[in-house]
Each structure stands twice: as C-alpha cells, then as structure tokens.
Amino acid sequence: MATATATPRRSKLTRGRLPGYAGWVSLAVALVLGAAIIAVPGFNAFGWGVLSAVIFAVVYVSWSRIVEGGRKAADKLATCLVVGSFLVALLPLVSVIWTVLVAGIPGLLTPGFLGTSMNGVTGVFDNRAVNEGTHVVGGIYHALLGTVWITLLATLISVPVGLLTAVYLVEYGDDRPLARAITFFVDVMTGIPSIVAGLFAAAFFFVIVGPGTKTGFVAAVALSVLMIPVVVRSTEEMLKIVPNELREASYALGVRKWRTILKVVVPTAISGIASGVTLSIARVIGETAPILVTAGFATAINNNPFSGWMASLPTFIYTQILNPTSPSNPGPSEQRAWAAALVLIILVMVLNLAARLIARAFAPKTGR
C-alpha cells in the first residue's frame, strides 16, 4: 500500500517572509558587484565599502518588496538607513584611533619616551637619529606631568563650584531671579571659545599678580572656566531625575534638608555626576590655546604649578608639529607628536574607566 507524502503547508504567519539567509546573500552580491564596479576606475577600499553598502540596501529592500510587500520593505529600508548612519558616524572614530595607533606606537615604544623630557634636546639629536638610524631622543615626561597638575587643579576648582551651583539650582533655586541669572550665565559659558577662557585667566592674573604671569595654576583657572558649566549642567540634570519620594521620605523621618541632600540625593545621582565630571575633564584635557596663553611652553620638568612656565601634552603636540626640533628632519618631531597624542587618548580612556569604577563604588546598594 503506497503512502502519500504530504507537503508541509506554511502557516499564515510565516508565509510571504524572506528566508533567514536573505541578508547574507544580499551582502555577498553587494560585495561582488561593488568590487567589480569599483575596479573599473581603480580599486579603492573606501569606495568599495560605500558602493557595496548602497548595492546591499537596494538588493535587500527590492527582494523584500517582491516577497513581503511594501510595508516590510519600508521597514527594512529604514533599518538599512539607521545602521548605515551608525557606521558612518563610527567610521571617523575608528579611523582616528587606527591612525593614532599606527603612527604613535613606534614613538611610545622608544626607550625613555615616558621618562625623559625635552630639556637639552636639539636638532643635532634628531639629525643623528635620521642619518645614523639611532633611536629618537627626548620624551614627554615634563608635558605629562604638567597635564596631570593642570587638570588636577582645574578639577579641584571646578567640581566643588559646579556641584554646589547645581545643588542650589535644583534644591533651593525655586525659579528665583538669582537662579534664572545663574542658569543664563551657565548657558553663555557653555559656548564660549576656549581662547576667551585663556585670555580671561591671563587678564585676571595680570591685574592680581602682574604682567606676564604664566604658570600651571593660571592654566588651571582657565580650564576651570570651561569645566564649570559642563559640571553644572550634567549635575543639575542628574539631581532632577532623583525621585521626590526619596526626599519626602527623608523629611518625614525628621532629617534636615542639607543632610537629605548630602546622604540621599547626591549618593543617588553619584553615577551621573561622576560621568559629568569625566566629561568635563575630557572636554579640557586636550585644550591647547588657553594653555599656550596662560602656561606657555617649557622643555624642562617643572613640579611647581604656581611658579614658572609649564608644558602640557596638547602644547607639546602643537609645538612638535608647528616647530620641529630639526626643521630639516621633522620625522622625529612628528613621531613624538603622534606618540603624545596616543598617550592623551589613553588618559581619556583611563578617566572614563575610573569614573565608571567610582560610580559603581558609590552608587546606592540595591540588595537586601
């Protein structure tokens, strides 16, 4: 007796759908066609990627329109546009990191780069490094030390001022004229050019101390002008999202307002506050113009931010590119500049990691 094999019937829910491999097939077709087309004028990796992305979107969306209909095709077109926009936004970041890594690692691995300064280094050493093949002499220890000092002092100035200002605006302001005035000036300070902050600090110390005052502390004051509005805005937004129920519960227990802010409100928002402080540090750690105006540039190590000119990583990079140690052989100076840029990026990454660890350590415990 013969048995008939029944053909499985597709459900109404699965009928008219693209197969799971449709995306991969469309990608393969796009890569092949993109390579064939871009090879005609001359192969280029960037052009191949862009053309392949366009072909993939056309093939994938057209296939979806034929099989699934216009509504699903429109959804897939929107998905392609969103993913494409994300990749376009990510491309400059990846390109910058890759370029800095490739150009900066050789200089970073140079013996003594992190532990020596540029004191006494002249074009003779760079010429010798190029002509005789010896390693590049001179490092960034003085600039790294200056960056740490200037950023630390700017943070010590900005964080208390910004935090207390945000607490006043959220907890005590109540839309008073003073609160509105502070909000207005914070908004104005957010958009001022960095060179204006440097000129302000230089003019302020010109009146207080005297003309020509350039120290690390003056640079820290200039950077604090740029940091304070960022700290105020980020802290203010974090304090606003703290539920009022927490404040009311604390008041119901008889806790005073200042203690409620200190023990309940600020610890609840500490994660966002730490992120805001890190953002403000990242905002100023790479500034060049205000530091050139207020701290100058030095080639020797200066451990005193209150006296004498002080170098920093941004000014070190600027001067190495603009004024090479040996104008006839700028290669060693460019190597130092790229390595210093890599160190600067690493510092920003370390600051972000530290902010996350601090936020996790001080965040309110949710367990029993």
Side-chain angles (χ1 to χ4, degrees):
M1 181 177 179
T3 57
T5 303
T7 303
R9 300 177 60 185
R10 299 183 67 182
S11 170
K12 292 182 179 180
L13 297 176
T14 59
R15 190 181 304 145
R17 288 186 177 181
L18 285 178
Y21 55 81
W24 295 105
V25 172
S26 301
L27 180 61
V29 172
L31 291 175
V32 173
L33 287 179
I37 295 174
I38 204 68
V40 175
F43 185 80
N44 178 270
F46 178 76
W48 178 42
V50 173
L51 185 59
S52 299
V54 174
I55 296 174
F56 169 80
V58 172
V59 172
Y60 192 50
V61 172
S62 300
W63 192 355
S64 175
R65 185 176 183 82
I66 295 172
V67 176
E68 299 177 320
R71 186 170 64 86
K72 292 293 184 64
D75 177 72
K76 286 183 170 53
L77 177 61
T79 302
C80 291
L81 292 176
V82 170
V83 175
S85 300
F86 168 74
L87 293 177
V88 170
L90 192 64
L91 184 62
L93 175 63
V94 175
S95 176
V96 168
I97 292 178
W98 176 256
T99 303
V100 174
L101 283 174
V102 171
I105 287 178
L108 189 61
L109 297 179
T110 301
F113 180 73
L114 296 176
T116 59
S117 67
M118 292 294 293
N119 190 25
V121 178
T122 62
V124 176
F125 294 94
D126 286 358
N127 294 334
R128 185 184 304 164
V130 173
N131 298 327
E132 301 179 7
T134 60
H135 67 82
V136 178
V137 179
I140 61 167
Y141 179 75
H142 62 301
L144 184 61
L145 186 65
T147 297
V148 172
W149 269 117
I150 293 172
T151 307
L152 177 62
L153 290 175
T155 304
L156 293 178
I157 297 171
S158 305
V159 173
V161 174
L163 180 60
L164 293 176
T165 303
V167 168
Y168 171 78
L169 292 176
V170 176
E171 304 295 336
Y172 298 96
D174 295 331
D175 201 29
R176 296 174 182 173
L178 178 59
R180 292 197 299 269
I182 292 175
T183 302
F184 172 76
F185 284 113
V186 167
D187 292 338
V188 172
M189 290 175 62
T190 303
I192 64 172
S194 59
I195 186 64
V196 176
L199 292 175
F200 161 77
F204 177 76
F205 280 89
F206 173 84
V207 175
I208 300 299
V209 181
T213 303
K214 290 186 177 182
T215 64
F217 182 72
V218 181
V221 172
L223 295 186
S224 66
V225 175
L226 302 174
M227 290 181 65
I228 287 174
V230 180
V231 176
V232 171
R233 273 303 179 198
S234 58
T235 304
E236 183 181 2
E237 295 301 323
M238 290 301 105
L239 295 179
K240 284 181 179 178
I241 65 176
V242 176
N244 284 327
E245 289 79 4
L246 295 178
R247 298 179 176 88
E248 294 170 356
S250 179
Y251 298 152
L253 295 174
V255 181
R256 295 183 178 180
K257 187 169 185 175
W258 69 269
R259 194 169 184 83
T260 299
I261 296 171
L262 186 63
K263 296 294 185 180
V264 177
V265 178
V266 173
T268 303
I270 190 63
S271 177
I273 294 173
S275 299
V277 172
T278 305
L279 178 63
S280 66
I281 295 175
R283 160 79 169 84
V284 302
I285 197 172
E287 290 290 347
T288 306
I291 299 180
L292 281 174
V293 173
T294 55
F297 176 78
T299 57
I301 299 171
N302 181 9
N303 284 304
N304 186 2
F306 299 96
S307 176
W309 288 22
M310 178 172 282
S312 66
L313 287 175
T315 58
F316 178 85
I317 298 170
Y318 174 80
T319 53
Q320 287 294 307
I321 294 296
L322 188 64
N323 298 312
T325 307
S326 174
S328 59
N329 289 310
S333 294
E334 294 177 357
Q335 177 178 305
R336 298 189 196 99
W338 281 110
L342 179 58
V343 172
L344 195 59
I345 292 177
I346 293 174
L347 283 177
V348 174
M349 294 177 61
V350 170
L351 288 172
N352 279 275
L353 178 61
R356 292 178 180 273
L357 295 177
I358 292 173
R360 181 177 299 179
F362 290 95
K365 303 300 183 291
T366 57
R368 294 183 178 179

